[in-house]
Structure formats: structure tokens, C-alpha cells
Amino acid sequence: MGTGHFFWVIFYFASLCSASLANNAKINFREKEKKVLDQILGAGKYDARIRPSGLNGTDGPAYVSVNIFVRSISKIDDVTMEYSVQLTFREQWTDERLKFDDIQGRLKYLTLTEANRVWMPDLFFSNEKEGHFHNIIMPNVYIRIFPNGSVLYSIRISLTLACPMNLKLYPLDRQICSLRMASYGWTTNDLVFLWKEGDPVQVVKNLHLPRFTLEKFLTDYCNSKTNTGEYSCLKVDLLFKREFSYYLIQIYIPCCMLVIVSWVSFWLDQGAVPARVSLGVTTLLTMATQTSGINASLPPVSYTKAIDVWTGVCLTFVFGALLEFALVNYASRSDMHKENMKKKRRDLEQASIDAASDLLDTDSNATFAMLRQCEVHMQAPKRPNCCKTWLSKFPTRQCSRSKRIDVISRITFPLVFALFNLVYWSTYLFRDEEDE
């Protein structure tokens, strides 16, 4: 009985000791994390000014793997040739000075929020115009130190980057906007940037752009050599395709409608001068305003864009319709003048014939008429004119030139505009892809 009592007492104390050890272990776990941080980052133990050693502790360059996550692309500006992007930027490297005991796998990593506590690569974005960090609610940055000395640096940033554009095919173009990252002070003898293996660039799935579509992205290296040495550089090229539906609705269809409206004047009467002039001037001014609005939203480049060809030809057609009325008006007045001259000539001839008939007798009149008829029959027949024969088939009024000009314009203008559309869309839609 005494032996059993002694056994239960030992069991009770063993349980208390195990519970106490468990509690101590739980409490000491955070204490251990603090001690590890003090041990590896304490004063006089770690110098953040000294770069890590190379692979396997050698004196070679430190290798930093980079990957980015594109969260959003807010705008792509054609005028200033820039684009704004928000991304999560990550760097990872190994610093053997930061190795620590993981307490049998219970301490997976240490987390820091102060980047100045450890050595950091001096990476900068070479094509950056503006940029800022995100500090709501807390600074969106962290550093993780793993037991093997690996360091992961992650930060969320917003950047406005330069994007030189070639607008020769605008708005049927594709643009390549780059994101370049390079070392500012460390040469390739000390620091080398590498893209992370596997998936170096990720893009959010529901990425939405107002007038562009992100077709694909390509990663590459862009090391640069200067008189101070060679510097490591990474770049990612984002290929954007411009959405054409917006420009079709806002530019191409309205311009086409203005050209067609200008043809209405060909079907109006020649005498409706106010109507035809008002229609021509109104369409011309509207087309000029449309062209000015388009050019205001684009930079003043020195080359001709695809949209310039379209608006220029449409403006030429509208202006041509206005000039056509001027030609019709001139031809109409010329026809009226010729008709008046013919009428006066006929009146004079009739008066001469009447005067002569009073002096000549009936036989003389008969002889004169026979001679006149023989003279007419002896004239050589004129060769038929194909153009006049073709034009005579149109329902023209007294075969006047002004009416024929209108009839020809009704057919010529639409045919030429249709031919232009065929050439234009064949050239820009089915062109060979340029070397990008």
C-alpha cells in the first residue's frame, strides 16, 4: 500500500514537472526568438554596410533573385508616354551571417519590418518617373530571415514609368512598355540580379485596362556598361494591344458618316445654293473639329499616323464635295450664258432669213434651200465620242454640263471612297507583324 502511494506521488510530481516544462517551453519559444534576433543582429555582431559573401562563402558576387506580382495597371498615357503600375516587389538572397537554430523546426523564420537592420541590394528602377510606398495602415513591407540565412524582402509600391511609344499604326498599334531594374552602386563583381526560376512575373487575373489588353510579358537581362564598371540589370517587357472598338465607335464611324452626308449635296437641285453651301461648309467644319480633337489627345510627333491618313482622306472628300458644288455652279452659269448666246444667234439668223425672203423670189428661195441642204449632206460625219455617248445615257436635263458633273460625282465619290477603305484596311489590318 505504501509502495502504491509512493508511485502515485511520483506520477503526480512528474505530471506537474511535464506541465511546467511545457509551459516554460511555450514561454521560452518567444524568448528564444528574441534571443536569436539579438544574437544575429546585435550591436557589434552584424554590419549592414557589408554585403554578403558569394556562393559557399566565397568572395564572389552575391546573387539576388527577383520576382514581381503586378497588382494593377491604372493608366497608359499616349501624350506623356508613360504608364502607372502597382506591384509587389520581392527580392531573395542568402546571407550566411544570419543563420540561426530553428529549435527543431519550430522557428520557421524571423520577421522584420525595418529594412535598415540588414544589408539590402541597392536596386532602383531606371525608367521610373515617380513612385511611392504604401503606408496604410502600416508600411506594406516585411523582411523574413530563414534558418539557413536566406532573406526575403517584400514591398508594395506604385510606380509611374516611362514608355516610349511608336504611334505610326495608331490606333491599330501594339506598344511595349518595359520595367527595368538595375543596381545603382554595386557592379557585377559584387552583386548580380537574377530572375526567380519558375514564375518570375505574376499578373493579377482580373487585370482590367480601359483601352488596352495585356497580351503577354517577357523577362530578360539588360546589363549596362559604364566607365565605372558593368552593372546588373533586369527587365520585363509588357506587350499591350490597343482596343480598337473604342476608336471605331468614336472616330471611324462618325468620320465615315460625315463623308456620306457631304454626298447629299450631289442629289440636291443646282438652284438650291443656300442648302448645298450650308451642307458643304457644315460637314467641312465638323470634320475639321473632329480632326483637331483627335490630334489634341496625341503627342505632336513628326511622322504620319494611321489615324492621320484616315482623317486626312475624309477631310479631303468633304472638301472635294464642297469644291464640286463650286464647279457645278460655274458650269451652270456657263451653260446659261451659252444658251442665251445661242438664242440670240438664232434670233439674228431668223431675222436675216426674214429680210432675205422679202428680196428674193420663190424660185431663188427654193434654189437656196436646196444648196443649203446639199451642203449639209456633204459634210463629213463626225467620229462618235465614247464618253459623250456614255454620258448621254444619264437622265440629264438638256445634257447640261452642270447636271452631268452631279451625276458623275454620285458614282465617282462613293467608288473612290470604297477603294480607299479597301486599301486602308488591307494595309493596316493584314500587315506583317513588325519585329518587336
Side-chain angles (χ1 to χ4, degrees), residues 278-298:
S278 300
L279 182 62
V281 172
T282 302
T283 53
L284 182 62
L285 293 178
T286 306
M287 191 66 215
T289 304
Q290 180 85 347
T291 304
S292 300
I294 296 170
N295 293 329
S297 62
L298 293 173

Side-chain angles (χ1 to χ4, degrees), residues 189-291:
N189 295 327
D190 297 306
L191 179 62
V192 174
F193 289 111
L194 301 173
W195 284 113
K196 183 179 179 181
E197 295 182 0
D199 195 7
V201 178
Q202 300 99 37
V203 180
V204 66
K205 292 183 179 179
N206 57 346
L207 180 64
H208 176 71
L209 296 173
R211 290 182 290 177
F212 287 88
T213 300
L214 179 60
E215 286 193 331
K216 60 181 179 180
F217 51 87
L218 302 172
T219 58
D220 200 357
Y221 296 89
C222 54
N223 291 7
S224 59
K225 291 183 178 181
T226 66
N227 56 359
T228 58
E230 181 180 359
Y231 297 89
S232 182
C233 176
L234 302 177
K235 75 170 182 176
V236 53
D237 292 331
L238 305 174
L239 178 60
F240 295 102
K241 179 183 178 183
R242 198 181 299 272
E243 289 290 342
F244 180 67
S245 57
Y246 168 81
Y247 301 93
L248 179 65
I249 297 173
Q250 297 294 327
I251 296 177
Y252 283 89
I253 292 179
C255 290
C256 189
M257 292 174 64
L258 285 173
V259 173
I260 295 175
V261 168
S262 68
W263 299 342
V264 175
S265 63
F266 303 154
W267 301 87
L268 298 178
D269 188 75
Q270 304 170 23
V273 176
R276 297 187 70 163
V277 171
S278 300
L279 182 62
V281 172
T282 302
T283 53
L284 182 62
L285 293 178
T286 306
M287 191 66 215
T289 304
Q290 180 85 347
T291 304

Side-chain angles (χ1 to χ4, degrees), residues 66-254:
V66 175
N67 77 301
I68 60 175
F69 174 67
V70 179
R71 292 182 173 271
S72 65
I73 299 176
S74 58
K75 69 171 183 177
I76 301 177
D77 198 331
D78 299 316
V79 178
T80 57
M81 292 193 179
E82 63 186 22
Y83 72 105
S84 299
V85 59
Q86 182 187 129
L87 51 87
T88 298
F89 175 75
R90 304 186 186 97
E91 294 176 307
Q92 191 164 7
W93 66 94
T94 299
D95 192 341
E96 295 184 354
R97 298 172 294 175
L98 299 176
K99 289 183 178 180
F100 62 89
D101 184 14
D102 60 354
I103 314 177
Q104 298 179 353
R106 299 178 65 183
L107 191 59
K108 295 183 178 180
Y109 54 81
L110 304 174
T111 301
L112 298 177
T113 56
E114 300 175 0
N116 58 354
R117 297 290 302 275
V118 298
W119 176 86
M120 294 289 300
D122 60 342
L123 181 141
F124 77 106
F125 297 92
S126 58
N127 60 332
E128 172 204 353
K129 287 186 174 181
E130 294 179 359
H132 67 272
F133 302 119
H134 292 265
N135 298 316
I136 306 298
I137 298 176
M138 293 293 292
N140 298 166
V141 58
Y142 68 80
I143 297 175
R144 290 178 180 174
I145 303 175
F146 295 89
N148 62 349
S150 178
V151 182
L152 174 63
Y153 174 72
S154 177
I155 187 171
R156 186 165 72 101
I157 54 179
S158 291
L159 300 170
T160 299
L161 304 164
C163 179
M165 299 182 182
N166 186 348
L167 300 174
K168 288 183 178 180
L169 302 178
Y170 177 90
L172 300 164
D173 57 334
R174 287 179 171 85
Q175 299 298 336
I176 298 178
C177 295
S178 299
L179 176 63
R180 295 175 176 265
M181 300 161 285
S183 172
Y184 190 82
W186 298 99
T187 64
T188 52
N189 295 327
D190 297 306
L191 179 62
V192 174
F193 289 111
L194 301 173
W195 284 113
K196 183 179 179 181
E197 295 182 0
D199 195 7
V201 178
Q202 300 99 37
V203 180
V204 66
K205 292 183 179 179
N206 57 346
L207 180 64
H208 176 71
L209 296 173
R211 290 182 290 177
F212 287 88
T213 300
L214 179 60
E215 286 193 331
K216 60 181 179 180
F217 51 87
L218 302 172
T219 58
D220 200 357
Y221 296 89
C222 54
N223 291 7
S224 59
K225 291 183 178 181
T226 66
N227 56 359
T228 58
E230 181 180 359
Y231 297 89
S232 182
C233 176
L234 302 177
K235 75 170 182 176
V236 53
D237 292 331
L238 305 174
L239 178 60
F240 295 102
K241 179 183 178 183
R242 198 181 299 272
E243 289 290 342
F244 180 67
S245 57
Y246 168 81
Y247 301 93
L248 179 65
I249 297 173
Q250 297 294 327
I251 296 177
Y252 283 89
I253 292 179

